[in-house]
Amino acid sequence: MSRPEGTRSSRRSLQVKFVPDEDVLKHIADDAGTKVRKDKAQLSVSVKRFVKKLENISDNEAQEILEEKNYVAALGICAQDPMGNGSNISGGEVYSFQTPKCSNKMAELASELAQTPEKNGAPDHSKCPEKMAKTPQSSKEMFLLMHVFSLLFQNKKKEFVSTTPYRLRKRLAAPDPYLESESEYSASCSEEEDEEEKKEVSIVLSDQKTPAKTKAASTPPPRNSLAKKIKEQKMDNLVEEYFEAHSSSKVLTSDRTLQKLRRRRLNQQTLHDLLKNAPLAYAAEIRNLNQQHESLFSKWMLQLHLGFNIVLYGLGSKRDLLEKFRTSLLQDSVHLVVNGYFPSITVRSILNSITEEVLDHIGTFRSPLDQLEFITKRFKEDSSLELYVLIHNLDSQMLRGERSQQILAQLSSLPSIYLIASIDHINAPLMWDQAKLSLYNWLWYETTTFNPYVEETSYENSLLVQQSGSLALSSLTHVLHSLTLNARGIFRLLAQHQLEKKDNPSYPGLSFQDFYQQCREAFLVNSDLTLRAQLTEFRDHKLIRTKRGADGVEYLLIPVDDSTLTDFLEKEDEDV
Amino acid sequence: QQIQENLNKQLLDNLVRFLSRSHSDFQEKTTKWTCKMKFREIPTAALVLGVNVTDHDLTFRGLSDVLQDNITPYVALLEAKDCPGIKNLMQKLMGQLMNCDIEVDSMEDEDCVQVSQNRIRCSMPSLISWYESVTKKTDPETPSKKRNSSSRHWQSPPVVVVFKDMESFTTKVLQDFIVISSQHIHELPLVLVFGIATSPMIIHRLLPHSVSSLLCIELFQSISCKEHLSTIIDKLLLTSQFPFKLGEKVLQVLTNIFLYHDFSVQNFVKGFQLCIVEHFYSQPLSVLCCHLVDVKKRVYSLSHDQCENIRRLPSFRRYVEKQESGKQIELLTNDSFLKEETEKLLEDLHAYHENYVSILRCLHVFTSSLPKYPLGKQIRELHCACLENRVWETEEYESSLQLARMLNKTDLVTMLQQCVEILMSSSGKEFDKTVEKVKEFLTQFQNLEAEASQERDVSVSSQKELQKKTDLYHLQKTLLELKESRRSKKLTKFEMLRFEVVDYIDRLVRKYLVPADNRTLHEIVYFNAATVLRGHLNAAPRTALHTALNNPHWYLKNQDLKCDGGGISNKAPDICIVYKLHLECGRLINLVDWLEAFSTVVMAAEEPNADAASSDQVDDIIHARFIRAVSELELLGFIKPSKQKTDHVARLTWGGC
């Protein structure tokens, strides 16, 4: 049960589970036994677990209490949101505030997840282990639910009830002793509740019923006011928490870096190979899911022809789905596929491909607007002209700008252009205002595929993937080989200086004056002007970058990462 | 599918017709008022259109059409997005005006040259010279050709410039344009039209006094979008001519989107179109959803499968169960008998709709004037209530009847008259009797009035009597008597009649406003899949993402993934695990810790038989999987690389504060 806190080793080590075996056994027995009692048992077990955890954790209690408050808030939102749709999740749950926490929190959760035993033999027991795998949050939430309601039940005095939030806050100030008593109190509550069994559980779950059902009729008014108060409190809390979270500029994370990890960095190619070998989990289910989506193809076709445009959303790459749609239905018609995830795609290139490929127009346009006008005119003149436009990732970096969206929207509003697009970013719908939405005339389709985003992420510069420096290196050497010896020397000087300062994260670059001084000393230049001319050449080849510091001094920097630079210098040394 | 498109067209036509009618009154005003144009001041019309920006497009198009037809050939529509600067604005304006010109004169070669010339140098003088040339050209031209058009246009037609969305123009551009054009107003009769979405105050906020004093502004208010909506509902849903009907939930979804999201009539119409499409696509029996005239033909062309489909309809089953056994067998086995029966039922349904609509209107007449509107102010609310369940069983109906029993006589009479009108105008045959009955009520009321006047004489006389008596006791007694008599009298005459009327209305409601769900074969004409509709029109992509990440079981129906509450199984897809772990972190996430946590989870999920030898390779794979999951999260916008600390990423969602 006991856990060493604070040391790094403890974070790394897999943690001992804090659910005692008796509890598990009892829980399983309960589950196998009467199904009526199941819920209650579940609740009490989770409560007990939580209580025990509380006793253990003394370190980051304050944060946890803050989090509890979160869950009160989330709870309130849940209660206010009675929309029956199964997939509906209240906003509070999705975007609840989280307070800064120590990083061991993550490890904790990980170990808890990892705890899930493998040993589920009998089918009727199969549900249990997963239930045990509940994260601390869920148990906390349960605890809070019970806590709030038990307070309601046992102390019908309004004043006392209304002071709860205050007490919560107070607990934040003086955590230790108070919390102990509080948790014990709630534990006793839960035991008392055992007697009242399911009724209360059902109230806790359905949440809209008044407690009048179980208790005296005097309860409803305070309950209502409490609900109101919780709501108000929740608003306050949200605001408070927001600023609280943002006021602390210091972020508590461990200082470990990937470099200290002995594991080498993977580059794009090896990553790709490795992933190819790794089996895709739940392939069958994913295929099922995709088949469901594919059955909608003919419907999409119909709706496209009726003047709607289709947008697909949901987790997972929708590229394959769209490709399938294209190959199965659009073979015989004119269509244009736009890979929005491609980092150098622009609206202009889309428009160009329409005018050049589809309309066979040779010539350039002064602005995209002119081009759009031309396209509009052509499509209006010739009603037999039809074009399907498929855009993967309409919300990509390059296309999400206001102007490009406006142009695309206008394009899609043409009656003979049929647009079908996919979006992935969580905030993608914010791109569109009312006017654009009405131009787009979207029909939304949820297509969660769970397919990995292979193509889409391959252009991303992830921190974890080693920047394939090979390209930069070769271009560096190429350019420099075409330059004079002096120029090479100048660049070398700059590179060496930069490598010397590589440990300084706030290194602004070498100032021009210093650089000039050094170059003179090395007999590389004889005047200010020659150096400037040389630097202009470097800049044209994108070998260096200049920026002005706060004091107006020009700083020079080579925009290549250190390892590439080291490689380069080594190679140069070999050559010389 | 042909029907669908017909319906769609009908729908749009309706909308356009309505819109054009709504601003035809502007035109009349504008024509009058452009006459009294003053020098130096530009006549300006400010149209306050409301926040439903998306509908404005249609309005403006209609407006410019009407203007072109009636007043002037020179109309230019300008949008803010085309005019970032004064130069672009002039360019656009010239282009549009020239184009109008081409259409009118159809002298292409010359004008085209002009256009291309003017493209290069667009300025007010060139515009003026163009205008002069055009007006001169039209004047000396053969009068025979121009006569008919000059009857429509004046001698020097004004140039109308419409600013579609005034709020989004940059103030500088607007000011410049106004100042410049005011200099030239005596040469160029210019009229401005501003489209305003918010309030007329915006003009004064955008333009300083020196500029706005150059304008001679007149304000026009367009009809509010709510009224648009109710007209559309009136025309589309509450008619018996339109065979397709919306179910209660669907209608509610549509009106909710309208009221809470955009106030856009266009979107409402779009939703309605979508309903039609969905209905015809998903309901195989929707062939029968057509005008009564065609029903017979279509019923007889039904195939055996379609007949089976009919038999499978729940409402039809209910109907069959109610029949006697011989007929039941006939219905279930004999196709042709079924067809006859279906036709009869469809006719019934049609008749039901006719009656329903007129009675609904009558009821609305009664309820819409009641205090506090227990059944809603708008007829659509009443319609929803009636569709939902038996309206006479609801509390609101009870209370509204109670209130109706307290109406005064003049109101009641006018209402009854309105009812008579509605019933007369409806085509239902059954209403003859009802009309008679209501008329009878009316005459009774009139009789009552006559009686009441007599009554008054009586009471006056009694009051005279009262004056004679001076005895206090007698006075009291007579007063009591009077009071009693008055009460009893009222109850016998007016109140009795009033009760009768209300009861009659109640009976009508019970007879005709049966919810459509109870009717046989209602599935054919009613569209009820509200969730589908909401999913397509008012989707929640964030929720979908959240669900997929938090509860993959929802999508992947695998037993291993099943778990409850906020928990997640360690066998979930990588991205779910990574997401779950990242939720635990603050604003910044250390990648090393993250990776470690991830590998802990994944290792535990896999069989613990990984030997020391192969562990290196496994590590690599896990590493790769982690990288993939993290970059997927980055794509989804949950995290972004951060420069604050090495090997850290920043959370972007709110939870990451």
Side-chain angles (χ1 to χ4, degrees):
Chain A
M1 289 289 287
S2 66
R3 247 183 331 140
E5 285 282 335
T7 58
R8 181 168 288 180
S9 61
S10 82
R11 276 188 219 135
R12 288 197 183 188
S13 68
L14 211 133
Q15 270 157 356
V16 191
K17 40 178 145 181
F18 22 67
V19 184
D21 283 346
E22 314 94 82
D23 267 6
V24 179
L25 278 177
K26 187 179 153 207
H27 176 70
I28 291 172
D30 273 356
D31 195 33
T34 54
K35 285 211 168 161
V36 195
R37 294 179 63 87
K38 195 176 76 181
D39 283 3
K40 183 208 73 190
Q42 175 73 22
L43 263 177
S44 63
V45 165
S46 64
V47 169
K48 272 176 199 157
R49 270 169 66 198
F50 181 67
V51 170
K52 268 158 194 154
K53 244 178 82 186
L54 270 186
E55 282 161 10
N56 285 331
I57 301 168
S58 56
D59 194 1
N60 40 14
E61 270 163 347
Q63 274 110 3
E64 281 193 9
I65 294 158
L66 254 178
E67 204 185 63
E68 278 174 33
K69 270 173 34 181
N70 278 340
Y71 279 98
V72 174
L75 175 75
I77 293 167
C78 280
Q80 250 97 53
D81 194 7
M83 286 164 71
N85 197 335
S87 67
N88 256 315
I89 292 129
S90 70
E93 244 179 289
V94 187
Y95 310 110
S96 68
F97 287 105
Q98 213 104 22
T99 44
K101 270 171 287 188
C102 298
S103 63
N104 67 342
K105 208 65 200 169
M106 192 155 66
E108 208 171 277
L109 177 70
S111 62
E112 189 145 339
L113 280 176
Q115 237 180 64
T116 315
E118 296 293 298
K119 53 180 183 203
N120 40 355
D124 57 334
H125 284 257
S126 65
K127 270 193 271 172
C128 297
E130 271 135 26
K131 271 181 192 156
M132 299 314 294
K134 245 189 303 182
T135 56
Q137 268 81 8
S138 65
S139 62
K140 251 177 267 169
E141 191 177 344
M142 285 290 211
F143 162 70
L144 259 174
L145 271 168
M146 292 186 70
H147 179 67
V148 170
F149 279 93
S150 60
L151 278 178
L152 257 176
F153 290 137
Q154 263 134 23
N155 321 286
K156 268 173 280 171
K157 271 174 262 162
K158 195 178 168 184
E159 311 91 292
F160 183 67
V161 169
S162 61
T163 53
T164 343
Y166 169 65
R167 274 150 45 97
L168 270 172
R169 214 181 293 149
K170 206 171 148 197
R171 274 159 55 189
L172 187 71
D176 221 344
Y178 211 109
L179 190 73
E180 287 287 320
S181 64
E182 190 72 31
S183 58
E184 269 162 30
Y185 166 67
S186 68
S188 66
C189 283
S190 72
E191 263 150 37
E192 276 177 46
E193 267 178 11
D194 280 358
E195 290 152 26
E196 289 174 6
E197 286 197 3
K198 265 214 101 173
K199 262 190 207 163
E200 284 179 18
V201 173
S202 71
I203 286 166
V204 167
L205 294 178
S206 65
D207 213 17
Q208 289 288 9
K209 289 172 201 161
T210 49
K213 225 175 166 186
T214 44
K215 287 281 173 176
S218 63
T219 355
R223 197 247 176 237
N224 285 340
S225 68
L226 177 79
K228 225 174 260 169
K229 256 175 198 141
I230 284 184
K231 205 180 168 191
E232 277 163 24
Q233 189 69 34
K234 177 188 75 196
M235 287 311 293
D236 286 351
N237 279 349
L238 281 178
V239 175
E240 267 171 35
E241 279 174 29
Y242 181 83
F243 286 109
E244 204 170 321
H246 272 273
S247 63
S248 62
S249 57
K250 211 164 162 255
V251 185
L252 295 166
T253 47
S254 68
D255 293 329
R256 297 188 296 165
T257 59
L258 286 174
Q259 240 141 37
K260 284 179 194 161
L261 218 64
R262 57 184 164 65
R263 198 168 297 140
R264 71 200 157 82
R265 285 193 168 197
L266 303 162
N267 64 23
Q268 196 78 49
Q269 191 55 44
T270 46
L271 176 72
H272 193 73
D273 293 342
L274 277 173
L275 284 181
K276 229 186 212 167
N277 294 334
L280 188 62
Y282 306 109
E285 282 85 359
I286 289 174
R287 214 175 308 123
N288 258 343
L289 211 57
N290 284 334
Q291 260 156 16
Q292 270 175 35
H293 300 320
E294 278 157 29
S295 63
L296 294 171
F297 279 174
S298 57
K299 196 170 175 181
W300 291 355
M301 237 5 216
L302 174 72
Q303 287 172 340
L304 283 175
H305 275 275
L306 286 172
F308 295 104
N309 291 311
I310 286 175
V311 63
L312 309 177
Y313 64 92
L315 180 69
S317 169
K318 289 160 280 291
R319 200 172 168 281
D320 293 340
L321 193 69
L322 279 179
E323 274 300 294
K324 213 163 202 172
F325 174 69
R326 186 179 73 86
T327 46
S328 59
L329 286 176
L330 300 182
Q331 259 332 317
D332 306 326
S333 40
V334 187
H335 58 261
L336 175 74
V337 180
V338 179
N339 294 325
Y341 50 82
F342 195 70
S344 62
I345 190 105
T346 57
V347 179
R348 186 142 218 170
S349 57
I350 298 174
L351 291 176
N352 275 340
S353 54
I354 293 178
T355 49
E356 280 160 25
E357 313 282 324
V358 182
L359 301 176
D360 289 325
H361 174 86
I362 305 153
T364 50
F365 296 88
R366 272 187 307 161
S367 72
L369 281 176
D370 281 352
Q371 205 164 359
L372 183 71
E373 220 164 275
F374 173 78
I375 294 170
T376 321
K377 223 170 94 194
R378 282 296 296 275
F379 273 98
K380 273 189 182 146
E381 275 168 17
D382 191 355
S383 57
S384 66
L385 221 50
E386 286 189 336
L387 176 66
Y388 294 86
V389 183
L390 284 91
I391 302 182
H392 304 295
N393 291 76
L394 187 60
D395 53 349
S396 66
Q397 285 290 351
M398 293 305 293
L399 296 181
R400 68 173 67 143
E402 208 265 319
R403 285 179 64 82
S404 26
Q405 285 296 327
Q406 179 71 46
I407 287 169
L408 285 176
Q410 273 172 305
L411 200 64
S412 71
S413 67
L414 292 178
S416 48
I417 288 186
Y418 311 116
L419 177 68
I420 177 163
S422 66
I423 56 168
D424 288 302
H425 200 280
I426 36 165
N427 293 329
L430 298 182
M431 293 190 295
W432 303 313
D433 57 14
Q434 287 291 343
K436 286 197 199 83
L437 277 179
S438 78
L439 280 176
Y440 270 125
N441 207 5
W442 287 131
L443 279 189
W444 298 77
Y445 273 91
E446 184 183 334
T447 53
T448 303
T449 60
F450 275 101
N451 281 339
Y453 294 94
V454 181
E455 286 288 322
E456 287 91 331
T457 54
S458 63
Y459 295 103
E460 230 171 76
N461 298 324
S462 174
L463 272 176
L464 291 158
V465 184
Q466 192 180 32
Q467 296 300 313
S468 48
S470 54
L471 192 73
L473 189 62
S474 67
S475 63
L476 263 186
T477 45
H478 262 100
V479 171
L480 281 187
H481 271 295
S482 64
L483 294 176
T484 60
L485 210 64
N486 268 7
R488 264 186 266 171
I490 291 170
F491 189 78
R492 239 179 110 81
L493 215 59
L494 191 59
Q496 271 162 355
H497 188 80
Q498 188 163 336
L499 279 183
E500 278 165 27
K501 294 285 169 60
K502 74 177 172 191
D503 292 333
N504 181 5
S506 59
Y507 168 68
L510 184 58
S511 74
F512 181 78
Q513 279 309 319
D514 292 348
F515 191 38
Y516 177 54
Q517 209 56 43
Q518 286 181 20
C519 288
R520 266 186 86 94
E521 280 160 17
F523 300 111
L524 290 170
V525 291
N526 53 8
S527 80
D528 187 323
L529 278 179
T530 40
L531 179 60
R532 279 212 186 273
Q534 204 58 64
L535 289 180
T536 315
E537 191 156 354
F538 287 154
R539 203 164 10 195
D540 289 346
H541 286 106
K542 296 204 171 78
L543 291 182
I544 60 165
R545 211 166 35 196
T546 56
K547 65 178 175 193
R548 292 213 178 268
D551 46 355
V553 183
E554 212 175 338
Y555 287 106
L556 308 166
L557 202 66
I558 304 174
V560 179
D561 61 70
D562 298 336
S563 54
T564 320
L565 215 55
T566 326
D567 286 349
F568 166 72
L569 283 181
E570 279 166 11
K571 218 170 179 181
E572 280 286 283
D573 287 337
E574 283 168 23
D575 288 355
V576 171
Chain B
Q1 288 187 359
Q2 281 174 347
I3 322 165
Q4 289 170 31
E5 293 188 357
N6 280 342
L7 294 184
N8 283 350
K9 259 181 215 148
Q10 206 176 327
L11 209 62
L12 278 175
D13 283 351
N14 260 341
L15 185 67
V16 170
R17 206 185 317 134
F18 174 72
L19 284 173
S20 57
R21 203 189 49 204
S22 75
H23 52 64
S24 61
D25 55 320
F26 297 141
Q27 268 62 72
E28 285 157 24
K29 279 184 204 162
T30 8
T31 41
K32 275 182 217 155
W33 145 93
T34 36
C35 299
K36 33 178 186 174
M37 239 183 340
K38 292 175 203 161
F39 277 82
R40 275 286 165 192
E41 284 191 359
I42 311 168
T44 310
L47 296 181
V48 181
L49 291 164
V51 287
N52 48 336
V53 189
T54 47
D55 296 340
H56 296 174
D57 220 25
L58 266 182
T59 320
F60 279 119
R61 220 176 300 148
L63 176 68
S64 73
D65 285 349
V66 175
L67 280 176
Q68 256 168 1
D69 285 352
N70 298 328
I71 303 167
T72 164
Y74 312 118
V75 179
L77 290 168
L78 295 177
E79 273 180 87
K81 61 172 184 277
D82 298 331
C83 312
I86 185 87
K87 203 174 158 193
N88 302 38
L89 189 143
M90 289 304 294
Q91 222 166 4
K92 198 88 191 164
L93 179 62
M94 298 285 284
Q96 285 200 11
L97 289 177
M98 308 286 172
N99 279 340
C100 302
D101 196 34
I102 292 168
E103 279 161 29
V104 172
D105 291 344
S106 67
M107 299 170 73
E108 277 149 36
D109 39 3
E110 205 180 321
D111 274 313
C112 275
V113 175
Q114 232 177 341
V115 169
S116 57
Q117 275 175 353
N118 279 316
R119 274 265 163 89
I120 307 158
R121 235 168 45 82
C122 290
S123 65
M124 217 57 194
S126 63
L127 187 66
I128 290 163
S129 63
W130 161 80
Y131 181 72
E132 273 169 3
S133 72
V134 167
T135 41
K136 257 180 220 155
K137 222 186 287 159
T138 49
D139 282 342
E141 241 170 42
T142 46
S144 58
K145 187 188 163 195
K146 269 284 149 181
R147 184 153 291 160
N148 48 354
S149 66
S150 64
S151 64
R152 285 190 290 146
H153 308 312
W154 305 328
Q155 213 56 13
S156 59
V159 175
V160 179
V161 182
V162 181
F163 293 89
K164 275 190 185 176
D165 37 359
M166 192 198 175
E167 282 97 337
S168 30
F169 277 96
T170 34
T171 47
K172 186 89 175 56
V173 172
L174 267 184
Q175 286 173 22
D176 285 354
F177 181 74
I178 291 167
V179 170
I180 292 172
S181 47
S182 73
Q183 309 265 305
H184 297 279
I185 188 70
H186 50 282
E187 298 161 59
L188 184 74
L190 202 66
V191 178
L192 303 182
V193 177
F194 292 142
I196 295 171
T198 47
S199 77
M201 284 307 290
I202 198 77
I203 298 179
H204 301 287
R205 199 145 2 116
L206 282 178
L207 305 172
H209 183 69
S210 60
V211 176
S212 58
S213 63
L214 295 172
L215 302 173
C216 163
I217 299 173
E218 197 148 322
L219 205 67
F220 300 99
Q221 190 88 34
S222 83
I223 295 169
S224 84
C225 49
K226 268 193 226 153
E227 281 168 57
H228 282 216
L229 180 73
S230 42
T231 343
I232 283 182
I233 289 183
D234 238 30
K235 280 201 169 157
L236 292 178
L237 299 180
L238 302 178
T239 53
S240 46
Q241 285 119 25
F242 208 64
F244 175 75
K245 301 277 183 239
L246 287 180
E248 179 263 335
K249 289 234 178 63
V250 176
L251 187 59
Q252 227 147 35
V253 166
L254 282 179
T255 45
N256 279 352
I257 289 177
F258 177 82
L259 291 176
Y260 298 120
H261 287 264
D262 48 13
F263 283 118
S264 159
V265 179
Q266 223 175 12
N267 274 3
F268 184 84
V269 172
K270 173 191 161 190
F272 190 71
Q273 281 171 324
L274 180 68
C275 291
I276 296 175
V277 173
E278 276 288 323
H279 180 70
F280 281 93
Y281 186 82
S282 57
Q283 176 62 260
L285 285 172
S286 52
V287 240
L288 295 178
C289 175
C290 57
H291 291 281
L292 199 60
V293 195
D294 308 332
V295 162
K296 202 166 188 175
K297 221 168 35 190
R298 292 200 190 178
V299 166
Y300 282 105
S301 61
L302 284 180
S303 67
H304 178 70
D305 284 348
Q306 281 168 319
C307 289
E308 283 300 310
N309 273 333
I310 292 180
R311 287 185 188 123
R312 243 173 270 139
L313 289 180
S315 68
F316 188 74
R317 276 207 207 143
R318 249 178 283 140
Y319 173 75
V320 170
E321 276 159 24
K322 272 186 219 147
Q323 308 300 318
E324 65 239 48
S325 59
K327 210 177 171 191
Q328 271 184 11
I329 294 165
E330 274 289 281
L331 276 175
L332 291 178
T333 51
N334 190 345
D335 270 3
S336 56
F337 186 72
L338 176 79
K339 281 175 188 172
E340 270 170 39
E341 197 66 28
T342 319
E343 196 194 328
K344 221 183 290 164
L345 284 171
L346 281 173
E347 270 165 20
D348 276 358
L349 198 62
H350 189 75
Y352 155 75
H353 280 141
E354 275 178 356
N355 300 338
Y356 175 86
V357 170
S358 15
I359 294 295
L360 185 72
R361 282 177 202 276
C362 290
L363 184 61
H364 181 236
V365 165
F366 270 89
T367 55
S368 60
S369 56
L370 294 176
K372 282 208 225 153
Y373 310 107
L375 276 170
K377 205 174 182 179
Q378 306 279 348
I379 196 164
R380 61 163 187 270
E381 293 165 82
L382 189 63
H383 181 53
C384 272
C386 291
L387 282 176
E388 197 179 356
N389 44 31
R390 293 181 189 170
V391 73
W392 58 88
E393 285 169 5
T394 56
E395 271 177 46
E396 289 85 4
Y397 183 76
E398 278 302 313
S399 65
S400 61
L401 273 194
Q402 293 265 305
L403 286 168
R405 287 195 185 108
M406 284 181 263
L407 285 169
N408 64 10
K409 200 183 73 187
T410 44
D411 284 352
L412 206 57
V413 170
T414 48
M415 280 176 194
L416 283 176
Q417 271 159 354
Q418 275 174 322
C419 287
V420 170
E421 273 169 36
I422 291 168
L423 293 175
M424 294 285 262
S425 65
S426 81
S427 52
K429 294 140 205 152
E430 301 170 37
F431 286 131
D432 295 344
K433 237 189 246 168
T434 357
V435 171
E436 268 171 36
K437 182 84 183 167
V438 175
K439 275 187 179 161
E440 199 183 302
F441 279 131
L442 275 173
T443 47
Q444 276 180 347
F445 271 116
Q446 263 142 23
N447 291 345
L448 206 66
E449 211 162 324
E451 277 174 39
S453 57
Q454 286 174 7
E455 200 105 324
R456 204 166 296 135
D457 293 344
V458 175
S459 64
V460 167
S461 65
S462 68
Q463 263 172 355
K464 275 177 192 160
E465 252 173 68
L466 204 78
Q467 283 165 352
K468 281 183 216 160
K469 305 235 166 126
T470 46
D471 195 341
L472 197 66
Y473 170 74
H474 278 285
L475 180 71
Q476 204 173 14
K477 204 172 156 190
T478 36
L479 276 175
L480 272 175
E481 266 172 21
L482 261 177
K483 214 159 98 189
E484 226 154 77
S485 66
R486 199 169 291 160
R487 195 190 292 151
S488 58
K489 248 176 230 160
K490 268 211 172 160
L491 208 99
T492 46
K493 293 269 162 62
F494 173 65
E495 290 205 347
M496 284 284 271
L497 198 55
R498 189 161 63 181
F499 275 131
E500 231 173 285
V501 169
V502 173
D503 282 346
Y504 185 68
I505 298 276
D506 187 38
R507 244 178 294 142
L508 281 181
V509 166
R510 276 162 204 266
K511 190 172 170 195
Y512 293 112
L513 293 190
V514 185
D517 295 0
N518 297 353
R519 306 294 303 196
T520 318
L521 293 184
H522 70 92
E523 287 95 337
I524 290 177
V525 288
Y526 277 88
F527 177 69
N528 250 326
T531 46
V532 178
L533 191 71
R534 190 187 300 151
H536 290 332
L537 288 180
N538 197 8
R542 301 179 118 196
T543 321
L545 262 184
H546 181 82
T547 321
L549 288 170
N550 259 326
N551 187 9
H553 175 72
W554 181 267
Y555 293 101
L556 306 170
K557 308 279 182 213
N558 191 310
Q559 269 306 307
D560 288 352
L561 293 172
K562 194 155 181 179
C563 50
D564 47 8
I568 190 165
S569 144
N570 55 14
K571 286 184 207 139
D574 296 344
I575 187 166
C576 301
I577 296 172
V578 170
Y579 172 77
K580 208 72 197 172
L581 290 172
H582 114 285
L583 284 183
E584 290 301 305
C585 289
R587 202 168 40 188
L588 288 180
I589 306 171
N590 188 329
L591 278 172
V592 184
D593 291 344
W594 201 2
L595 170 62
E596 218 150 88
F598 176 73
S599 63
T600 321
V601 175
V602 174
M603 295 283 262
E606 266 155 30
E607 300 304 308
N609 59 1
D611 303 328
S614 66
S615 75
D616 229 23
Q617 205 209 336
V618 168
D619 260 9
D620 266 355
I621 288 179
I622 287 174
H623 191 179
R625 279 165 64 186
F626 176 69
I627 290 170
R628 178 175 62 187
V630 168
S631 49
E632 278 172 3
L633 275 191
E634 193 182 333
L635 182 81
L636 293 177
F638 284 104
I639 53 166
K640 68 164 194 211
S642 155
K643 289 240 164 76
Q644 281 185 25
K645 221 168 166 187
T646 42
D647 290 332
H648 275 65
V649 288
R651 265 184 82 174
L652 291 177
T653 41
W654 249 25
C657 310

